[in-house]
Amino acid sequence: EARANRYQLIDDTSVSHEPMVITGDCGNAVLLAEDDRNAINETLHRLSVWEMRESILDGMHKGINRSATELEW
């Protein structure tokens, strides 16, 4: 079914930003909008930089009013 409707699935996933699970006989796959994939990769990259990760976590715990206005890294 996914093969026959692949272009519609791509369009739907791009608009809705909801991952689409495609099941197969040998395994499953997930269709993601390209923007969502890029956002995931950017998040993983930022969290892999220790100083950036710590700054993000610190800001999450402090709240917006108590966050730094300049970056230390």
Side-chain angles (χ1 to χ4, degrees):
E1 183 180 340
R3 188 176 300 136
N5 298 319
R6 67 183 173 271
Y7 295 114
Q8 187 62 49
L9 290 173
I10 291 169
D11 290 345
D12 292 347
T13 303
S14 294
V15 170
S16 71
H17 296 279
E18 291 292 325
M20 177 75 61
V21 177
I22 302 170
T23 58
D25 294 334
C26 296
N28 300 334
V30 177
L31 177 65
L32 291 174
E34 183 180 18
D35 290 346
D36 297 333
R37 180 192 167 275
N38 291 341
I40 290 167
N41 282 343
E42 182 69 20
T43 300
L44 290 173
H45 170 72
R46 289 174 187 254
L47 293 176
S48 72
V49 177
W50 187 86
E51 294 87 357
M52 194 177 296
R53 179 181 181 276
E54 291 302 309
S55 176
I56 291 168
L57 290 172
D58 187 48
M60 288 172 63
H61 293 296
K62 283 184 178 179
I64 194 72
N65 294 332
R66 295 178 38 219
S67 294
T69 57
E70 293 186 25
L71 301 175
E72 296 175 12
W73 38 267

